[in-house]
Amino acid sequence: MLQITLSNGRLGPFQTVDVLADAYYITSESGAPGVLPMSVYGVGIVAPWVGPLPTAPAPDLGPLKAEAVARIDADVDAIYAVVIGNRQAEYEAAERQAQEFADGGFLGQAPAMVASWATAKGWTGQQAAQDILTVAAQWRGAQEQIRAQRLLRKEAARAAATQDVLTATMQAWTGFVAAARAQLGLGAA
């Protein structure tokens, strides 16, 4: 963008003309709104704009949208990595065994995944099974919230018509991530 500074009596001092794609836009240095666009003829000669008011071209939000969507996925991946890491299969097996033990009325010996937790904590098999099921239910609830927000915010980012809307979407996402991390006891990223 070429910026020409004019200081003639017709415009007043320190007003600027921005040249964008053969259109001229006048703004005061203070950024005062409502200054009409003007046509520029020759050096320092200004005449009133004739025709419809030009609009500045909209910025290309494509790269910013792609970056926002990638960040949303990366934030979720980071949460999952901290909470379950590479132990998803182990946790699911422990949950399955705890549920089977609970469904059987906590009778008999606790299954191996439940018994190992009971031994580590100094609990009964029933206490360990109930703890495993409580934590699993909390995590499932958190996963549902995270998934819903991830999908909602990704689509909002893709649909953003302006940078302000995209910024607001990402601010809402950042707030959600902070709240989710706090709820899961993970602290700040």
Side-chain angles (χ1 to χ4, degrees):
M1 175 176 7
L2 172 67
Q3 194 168 73
I4 306 166
T5 301
L6 303 175
S7 58
N8 63 28
R10 295 187 65 190
L11 285 176
F14 309 114
Q15 290 189 332
T16 59
V17 177
D18 293 330
V19 181
L20 292 172
D22 298 324
Y24 304 94
Y25 305 91
I26 302 294
T27 55
S28 70
E29 284 209 343
S30 67
V35 179
L36 292 176
M38 308 291 269
S39 294
V40 176
Y41 300 99
V43 177
I45 302 171
V46 178
W49 179 266
V50 178
L53 295 177
T55 57
D60 180 13
L61 295 178
L64 295 175
K65 290 178 180 183
E67 183 180 312
V69 168
R71 180 179 146 215
I72 289 168
D73 282 338
D75 287 347
V76 171
D77 292 346
I79 290 171
Y80 288 175
V82 171
V83 173
I84 60 175
N86 293 325
R87 291 180 293 279
Q88 181 173 346
E90 176 188 329
Y91 291 152
E92 288 174 349
E95 180 184 6
R96 215 174 14 261
Q97 288 183 11
Q99 189 61 58
E100 290 168 0
F101 189 48
D103 291 346
F106 303 105
L107 299 176
Q109 193 169 15
M113 294 285 207
V114 176
S116 62
W117 188 233
T119 300
K121 297 297 277 185
W123 291 343
T124 66
Q126 181 174 343
Q127 289 172 317
Q130 288 172 330
D131 182 65
I132 291 168
L133 293 173
T134 298
V135 170
Q138 290 169 345
W139 175 238
R140 297 277 179 249
Q143 280 181 307
E144 289 171 4
Q145 290 176 353
I146 290 168
R147 176 180 168 76
Q149 286 298 310
R150 178 178 59 86
L151 296 176
L152 177 71
R153 299 302 173 195
K154 282 174 62 171
E155 288 309 309
R158 287 183 181 118
T162 67
Q163 189 160 355
D164 287 344
V165 172
L166 184 58
T167 298
T169 296
M170 293 311 292
Q171 286 173 340
W173 173 251
T174 299
F176 170 77
V177 168
R181 290 182 68 85
Q183 182 181 3
L184 293 168
L186 304 179

